Every structure is written in C-alpha cells, then in structure tokens.
Amino acid sequence: MVTQNATLKSKEELMEKLRQPEVITGSEILLRSLVLEGVDCVFGYPGGAVLYIYDAMHGFSDFNHLLTRHEQGAIHAADGYARASGKVGVCIATSGPGATNLVTGIATAYMDSVPMVVITGNVMSSLIGTDAFQEADITGITMPITKHSYLVRDVDDLARIIHEAFHIANTGRKGPVLIDIPKDISANKTLFKPVTEVSIRGYNPTVSPNKLQVDKMIKAITEAERPLILAGGGVIYSGAHEELHEFVKKTDIPITTTLLGLGAFPSGEDLFLGMPGMHGTFTANKSIQKADLLINIGARFDDRVTGKLSGFAPYAKIIHIDIDPAEIGKNVPTDIPIVGDVKTVLQIANLQAKRADKADAWRAELLASKAQYPFRYKDSEDELKPQWVVEMLHETTNGDAIVTTDVGQHQMWAAQFYKFNKPRSWVTSGGLGTMGFGFPSAIGAQMANPDRLVISINGDGGMQMCAQELAICAINNIPVKVVILNNQVLGMVRQWQELIYDNRYSHIDLSGSPDFVKLSEAYGVKGFRATNKEEAKAVWEEALRHPGPAVVEFVVRKEENVYPMVAQGSTIDEMIMGDAE
C-alpha cells in the first residue's frame, strides 16, 4: 500500500508540475498535453516533419512510445488499444506518405466509432500548398472519415486544439480526430497554459433522452407478444453492459447482439440468441423476422445485419436508441426514436422496466429453436477444421481471453464459436472489414491489458499485410498469441466464388505464402505448426505456457465454408445452412 500511495503521490506531483505555465516549444506542449489527457501509450513512426516532436521525446518517460514497423501497424495498434481499454488511442506519423499510410486505419476507426487522436506532421507553414517534398493535404484527404480535423496554424492554439480533439473523439458518437501540425509549429515557442475546460460552440451531443420517448418504449414492451432486443457496439462504447443486463433481466426479453456488440451480454445466458445477420444464428435471424417489437440499442442497422432492407423485420414496431440522431431512421424506419447515451437511457428505463408478460410463448419458442439450431459443422479426424480450432481456443482459455481478428472466414468462425462474456474482449474490424487489422490491433490490446491473455486470430492472407509487426513483439516481449488459420486461399472470396459465381475461382490462391514458423523465428518469435488435432492441442498448450509472443499456424481444410450464410439481396431468414441443412 505504501508503494501504491507513493506512486499515486508521484503521479499527482507530475500532473501538478505539468500544469505550471512555462515557455516551451509546440512539441513539448504536445507531449505535456497528452500526459495531462491520461495517455500512457502512443504508437508511431518518425519522419522529417515530426522530428521536433520526436526530439522532445528523447529521454521522455511519462508515457510509452511503441515504434511500429509501418504506419498502418501503428494506427491499428492504437485502434486495438482504444477498443480493449475504453480510452482514446493515439498514434503519430510524419507528413506525406506517413500520413497517407494512416488513412485505412482512420476509416476503420470511423466506421466502428472508435475514439482516436491521430497526430500527423506537415511541412513548414510557409510551404503548405506548394507541393513541397512529402506534402499531402491530409486534413482534406481524411475529412470524410474523421469526426473533425485540425490544421494547426498558430502554436498558441495547440494546447486548446489537443484537448478539444480528445473531447470530440471520446464524447457523443465516438470516433477519430486528426491534428495536423506543421513542422515550424512544433518548433515555435510560446507560454504554455494548461486547458482546464473544453467548450466547443455547436458541439453538444445529446446524452439524456426525452423521457416521454422512454415511457413509450416501456408501454410498447408491456403490449408486445414477440419482443426482441438487438444490441450493438454502442452498449460497449458507453460502458452500459451492466445496465443492459439489468434491462434484460427486468423485461425478460430475448436478446441478439451484432458483431461489434459481442460481449455486451453474457453469451452463456438462456435469453442470448447469438449474432444475427449474414453469418448469424438461425434463431437470431428468424426471431428478427417474426418479432412484433424490435428494440435496437446502440446498433446502426448495418446491411450485414439487415439483409434485404425491404424485407427486414416486417412485423416489428421499431425502437432505436442511439446517441447519433443521424443513424435513427437512416436505414430502417423508426417508430419510437430515442436519442441519447445508451448507458443513460437504460439507467432511466430500468427505473420503470417491467417484465414482458405477454411474451411467454415467444420465449419458449425461441429457447427451443436455440437448442435445435446451434452453429454446426462436420468435424473430421483426418484434417483440422477451423471451427474445431476456435472451439479449442475457447475451451483452453475459459472464454476469458481478449480476442482480436483479421477479416474473412476466420473472423466469422471466431464470432460464432468463441463465447464472450465480458465487454471489450472482442476486437474486430466491422464496418470497413479491414484486412491487416487483426495482428497489430492485438498489440494495442495487449499494451492496454498487460495482465490479460490476448489472442489474435488471423487468416494466411491478412497476416501477411502487417506481419512485420512481429518485430516489435519480439523486441518489447509483447506476449500476444498469434493464431493463423492457414487454408492457403482467400477463404471468404473463395466461398463467394463457389456459391454465387458458380465455382469460377479467380485469383485467390495463396499457396505461395511463406513458412509462417520460419517467418516468426526470423523475427525472434517462437513459431509452431499443427496439421491434426493431436498436434493442435500440444502446440497450443506449449504456446500458452511460453512467456513471450508466439505464432501458431493451424493448417486447416481449404474447402471449408462459413454457415449459415445469407446471400446479398436476400432477407435474413433466407439462410444457406450448408453442413447443418
């Protein structure tokens, strides 16, 4: 306790010291402001336009800076850090190609409402607009994929802008904010005065809902015979998982969660129906199509969830709770709109929530369907099935790991067969579907949670997009356990070409990929490979025992498909069941 108190005291003393007015450079203002915002880890890659910033970092120990091997690795790591911690992720890159290499990661965070502050350098203010060496209009380039972008014109504005950026990123509908700092601004000096409060004219997200709308929702629940909850990532981002659990317990309404909502509600509970949509459960999809009341809590009616919009939830009165009013009614007409923070809305609703007494037959129907139609696959003793591998990962970790994924078939198998009981245990690219995201995001998640097991599940395609980040795992002993489900093919593309394009396979062969064990060992990371169940169990146990990072390649069946599947243009109850049909 003495040590803890001493640590707290030293931290308070540091903060007090940093708040003292002093004439310093823009670079020092940036670093001080990041510490005052509670930043403890930054991911970045230096270059000419940010050299003053990196010079100020020399010997700086008030936060950790992780040097990635590519700017895309840096921003995906910052994204994973934010999703797994609930804090704002921060990354830094230089001007021109350094900044443009961040674009995919910014779009990934924007689509999934992830709070990030992205700091880029730019050429000298006097050179902006002259096509100077390594100049790019990064604020213009990223305007459609950020909540807000700043080009700093005066060093006197820098402290205010940094604190505004954090406020914007982490309030309302969360998302990335970009700060572009010309090189001379980072070098200029001014009197630093700490910003104690942020007030932005015209930016006042609605947190508290209209009470009358909440009353309408409660009344609709009491009248419904087939009510259903659809919960999304907004529940997790607002920290509302406990309130959601209370709401479900009080109303006794069955619940389904979107891909980004996994972990918002314990997967082991009876009323949980699984994930809906293109690769969702039979019961979740059927329940949406039969419901007479659909309560959307913090989800955005993505096309992968709704399928054919004109046939989505045809019998349901729609209630939509969202902090972003632009989402309500955008895709699905809404009968009872409730604008507000999910946590606040549910706290108010829970004061008067009552059991949906007319829904007893409905509950019994859905529980029976859930038991009859779980996710299924045909197992094999001769070759590894990817679904079996994910089940093994779940069983050996008791579902307590933080799991990140890349994008493709392995992502859907992880969502289907790894069971999540805690929020912020599932990190995946939903809206943008970004290959290359899985592994670096795991690095960020591990930095945010050094005491938790982090597993990164990847395909052999996406793993090669950011494999260079194995170097920083080795150098910094970041103990991520990297799983590669290697089917030697772009699996999801192959599946579509088989089922929709009449087996016309075009440019999907990945058989020339590297030996992942040798690749791992070249970076100084322990590598393993398994081709059957016995080997799989043995090498995975060894990887778990290994104290540092490890890569485990599971060679799985190339022809395996993800089922159920809803083809584009179909309603979500028109499912191809595959092996389970």
Side-chain angles (χ1 to χ4, degrees), residues 155-199:
V155 70
D156 290 334
D157 296 329
L158 185 55
R160 171 186 58 80
I161 285 172
I162 293 165
H163 293 293
E164 284 184 3
F166 275 84
H167 176 71
I168 293 169
N170 209 28
T171 55
R173 180 175 180 172
K174 303 176 192 293
V177 176
L178 184 134
I179 307 174
D180 197 32
I181 306 175
K183 191 170 183 178
D184 54 309
I185 300 297
S186 64
N188 292 346
K189 289 187 175 183
T190 191
L191 178 64
F192 169 68
K193 295 179 181 178
V195 176
T196 55
E197 121 181 15
V198 174
S199 177

Side-chain angles (χ1 to χ4, degrees), residues 259-260 262 402-403 405 411 414-415 420 422-428:
L259 179 71
L260 293 184
L262 291 173
I402 295 175
V403 175
T405 79
Q411 177 189 32
F420 298 92
K422 300 175 184 176
R424 302 199 181 278
S425 295
W426 170 244
V427 175
T428 197

Side-chain angles (χ1 to χ4, degrees), residues 375-380 385 387-388 391 417 560 579:
F375 286 124
R376 292 192 180 106
Y377 64 97
K378 289 182 179 178
D379 201 2
S380 171
K385 290 295 188 84
Q387 302 95 324
W388 180 91
E391 285 183 323
F417 292 97
E560 197 70 14
D579 292 343

Side-chain angles (χ1 to χ4, degrees), residues 517-537:
V517 174
K518 289 182 178 179
L519 180 67
S520 304
E521 292 173 347
Y523 279 108
V525 174
K526 190 76 173 172
F528 304 89
R529 178 182 294 110
T531 60
N532 59 52
K533 287 183 176 180
E534 185 178 350
E535 291 176 353
K537 292 176 182 177

Side-chain angles (χ1 to χ4, degrees), residues 41 43 77-79 81-82 85 87-91 114-118 166:
C41 188
F43 306 86
D79 186 318
Y81 177 95
S85 68
K87 298 174 69 175
V88 177
V90 180
C91 70
V114 179
M116 294 177 61
V117 170
V118 181
F166 275 84

Side-chain angles (χ1 to χ4, degrees), residues 92 121 125 131 194 246 274 294 454 470 581:
I92 301 177
S125 297
D131 292 332
E246 181 183 351
L294 181 61
V454 177
L470 284 168
E581 198 153 30

Side-chain angles (χ1 to χ4, degrees), residues 45-114:
Y45 203 96
V50 290
L51 283 184
Y52 285 115
I53 296 171
Y54 275 85
D55 184 57
M57 276 191 215
H58 182 72
F60 188 84
S61 59
D62 294 334
F63 61 71
N64 185 24
H65 177 281
L66 206 63
L67 172 64
T68 59
R69 294 302 182 263
H70 193 288
E71 290 90 355
Q72 189 163 330
I75 194 160
H76 289 332
D79 186 318
Y81 177 95
R83 296 189 201 223
S85 68
K87 298 174 69 175
V88 177
V90 180
C91 70
I92 301 177
T94 192
S95 64
T100 57
N101 277 342
L102 298 176
V103 170
T104 296
I106 295 171
T108 300
Y110 183 77
M111 287 286 280
D112 289 349
S113 305
V114 179

